[in-house]
Amino acid sequence: ILTILGNSAVLATAVKRSSLLKSPELLTVNLAVADIGMALSMYPLAIASAWNHAWLGGDASCVYYALMGFLFGVCSMMTLCAMAVVRFLVTNSSKSNSNKITKSTVCILIAFIWLYSLLWAILPLVGWGYYGPEPFGISCTIAWSKFHNSSNGFSFILSMFLLCTVLPALTIVSCYLGIAWKVHKAYQEIQNIDRIPNAAKLEKKLTLMAVLISVAFLSSWTPYAAASFWSIFNSSDSLQPVVTLLPCLFAKSSTAYNPFIYYIFSKTFRCEVKKLQCCCGWRLHYFSSEENPMSSMWSG
């Protein structure tokens, strides 16, 4: 519910401000699309299976669930990587060069992210890698246990780990460390903190927001990654079901954090959310007062 409501507010704000959106903000919109796509395509089936105490459906629904999770997961990771790179280029370039990152460039980058994610999600369907049930039995993912059982599974998991996890994570960390060093040097050159330009303060706030979004995502998925790698080198039966279930649920919570981060750091987003609240509140009050003429009169 938090994922759908929060990211729907992000998308509604983006549609309302479509003509005013800057090119890097399109990546934020893409991240919201990936988050809400994961919530709509996966969570209802996972919740129903949890209530059923067993996976609903057969192999087809298991493959569908795992494919959606892999698709949206890789898309989110690569979007965060692109956000870090774009933020690094903007921070370390002159104003004239930063303007070269146009909306069309970012749109091409977003299209590449989706094609890249789709490619990795489809590969297990065409014979490289496997999808299978989680150890606790109420969701599906990549068959981590195939790492030692077959050379096919070994090569797929190793390649996926390097190209979809390690490389993007290292890029994110490197870019934000570079930005932090650049901002630190810039602030050192300004002796009086009252003379810091508003543009520099805004840049620092945007960078901090992007860092928190990346940290929230990586922190959410780290316990799941640890449990998955344990199952690579050890039997899945060596872990209690709850030990494998809780990291999976915590990873799914990553889709709900971003709107709260936007609300804290973005004054524009806060104002738009308050307008949406007022609009929805007025409509609910209007429809609920139609049945009572007296309350309608007082509300008028």
Side-chain angles (χ1 to χ4, degrees), residues 73-300:
V74 173
C75 181
S76 297
M77 186 66 171
M78 299 310 297
T79 301
L80 290 172
C81 181
M83 287 173 63
V85 172
V86 169
R87 178 58 45 198
F88 178 81
L89 293 176
V90 170
T91 304
N92 289 272
S93 301
S94 61
K95 187 174 181 180
S96 58
N97 290 331
S98 63
N99 290 333
K100 292 181 179 179
I101 304 176
T102 61
K103 286 187 177 181
S104 59
T105 303
V106 175
C107 287
I108 293 172
L109 180 59
I110 290 173
F112 172 78
I113 289 172
W114 280 104
L115 290 174
Y116 184 82
S117 306
L118 184 62
L119 173 64
W120 278 102
I122 290 176
L123 285 175
L125 301 181
V126 296
W128 193 32
Y130 307 93
Y131 287 133
E134 298 270 15
F136 50 86
I138 58 172
S139 68
C140 298
T141 185
I142 297 168
W144 301 101
S145 60
K146 297 289 186 180
F147 184 80
H148 287 299
N149 295 347
S150 69
S151 58
N152 190 345
F154 171 83
S155 61
F156 175 76
I157 291 175
L158 184 62
S159 301
M160 181 273 299
F161 175 66
L162 291 175
L163 297 177
C164 298
T165 304
V166 174
L167 187 60
L170 289 178
T171 302
I172 291 170
V173 172
S174 300
C175 287
Y176 287 132
L177 285 177
I179 293 171
W181 177 253
K182 177 76 173 181
V183 171
H184 173 70
K185 297 297 290 184
Y187 272 62
Q188 274 189 333
E189 296 175 359
I190 304 174
Q191 300 297 327
N192 187 357
I193 194 169
D194 295 328
R195 296 177 57 190
I196 296 176
N198 289 332
K201 294 179 180 178
L202 177 61
E203 190 67 33
K204 183 179 179 180
K205 182 185 289 188
L206 291 174
T207 300
L208 181 59
M209 183 176 72
V211 168
L212 287 177
I213 292 170
S214 300
V215 168
F217 182 85
L218 295 175
S219 300
S220 300
W221 282 92
T222 297
Y224 179 77
S228 299
F229 280 107
W230 176 270
S231 64
I232 286 177
F233 298 105
N234 301 274
S235 172
S236 300
D237 298 333
S238 61
L239 293 175
Q240 294 293 326
V242 69
V243 177
T244 56
L245 173 62
L246 291 179
C248 184
L249 295 177
F250 190 48
K252 288 181 171 64
S253 71
S254 65
T255 57
Y257 299 148
N258 294 339
F260 293 98
I261 297 174
Y262 303 147
Y263 191 85
I264 293 171
F265 284 91
S266 175
K267 184 178 179 181
T268 303
F269 183 63
R270 282 199 303 272
C271 294
E272 293 296 336
V273 169
K274 288 176 182 177
K275 290 178 183 178
L276 288 173
Q277 288 176 337
C278 292
C279 181
C280 294
W282 179 84
R283 288 177 180 173
L284 290 174
H285 182 74
Y286 176 76
F287 288 121
S288 63
S289 64
E290 282 184 342
E291 298 177 359
N292 190 341
M294 186 60 69
S295 63
S296 179
M297 181 183 70
W298 283 110
S299 66

